[in-house]
Amino acid sequence: MAYPIDLSHLLEQRKKKVIPDQLLEKYGARLVSLKKDYVLFDEGDPARDFYQVVQGQVKMYIINPDGQEFTQGIFGPGESFGEPALLGGFNYPSSAMAIEPGKVWRLPRPEFLQLLKENFEIHMKLDQVLCKRLQYKTMILTEVSSYDPEHRITTLLKYLRTKLIKKETIDKA
């Protein structure tokens, strides 16, 4: 069974910023230019800053004991990353590196927490983003640990299709 997937919807969804640029600036965020392969933080570093991509892409990854890299996510314009460690007060469980030249907003943890305290709607938006990531990771872990490759691919395609249909419904409203 084939599922038509229009990736432009996913790209449009990425353009939506978690936190508007003006609000980040108001709370003291700095716009940082990144060169390709620039490492923003390493696995095990204390979580000190909120990051939101303006241009380019950033990948979060781990290196396993055998030296193999496992990419946990790739974040593009409008997307934030590394928030669970920042909010949870634990060290980053993975590293983050620019995979192409770009720019990110960087906001220190105390100012980020103040921004969330004073802007409930932003807090809720961020909570929704984190919940969607958790839902996706739970689905993937279940698939990888419990099903054969064909089932995994079918489930992923159904998930992406459902996501796109919801996006189209919202856009038409």
Side-chain angles (χ1 to χ4, degrees), residues 29-168:
R30 291 183 308 123
L31 192 56
V32 179
S33 294
L34 307 176
K35 293 181 179 179
K36 183 181 185 311
D37 297 330
Y38 178 82
V39 176
L40 290 113
F41 53 80
D42 285 311
E43 179 180 351
D45 285 351
R48 293 193 175 111
D49 298 295
F50 169 81
Y51 295 94
Q52 184 169 286
V53 181
V54 175
Q55 287 179 321
Q57 292 187 327
V58 173
K59 74 174 173 179
M60 289 191 68
Y61 64 97
I62 60 167
I63 305 292
N64 74 15
D66 295 329
Q68 295 175 314
E69 180 180 296
F70 174 73
T71 300
Q72 295 184 328
I74 295 177
F75 303 90
E79 295 181 305
S80 59
F81 58 93
E83 309 93 326
L86 189 64
L87 293 168
F90 52 87
N91 292 345
Y92 289 114
S94 55
S95 300
M97 179 175 67
I99 57 176
E100 60 187 51
K103 294 180 181 180
V104 297
W105 285 110
R106 185 179 197 161
L107 181 65
R109 185 176 190 267
E111 288 81 0
F112 172 66
L113 295 176
Q114 191 64 35
L115 184 153
L116 293 180
K117 282 181 191 175
E118 295 175 3
N119 297 275
F120 181 74
E121 69 285 351
I122 298 295
H123 200 306
M124 286 302 297
K125 188 175 179 181
L126 182 62
D127 290 347
Q128 289 170 348
V129 167
L130 294 175
C131 286
K132 286 177 185 175
R133 283 188 208 156
L134 183 58
Q135 177 192 29
Y136 175 77
K137 287 187 179 202
T138 300
M139 180 197 68
I140 293 298
L141 285 172
T142 300
E143 289 298 317
V144 168
S145 65
S146 303
Y147 297 103
D148 60 85
E150 184 178 312
H151 188 275
R152 294 177 200 166
I153 292 169
T154 302
T155 300
L156 181 60
L157 290 173
K158 284 180 183 178
Y159 170 82
L160 291 171
R161 183 173 181 257
T162 302
K163 208 171 161 184
L164 292 174
I165 289 170
K166 285 180 185 175
K167 168 86 172 95
E168 287 173 356

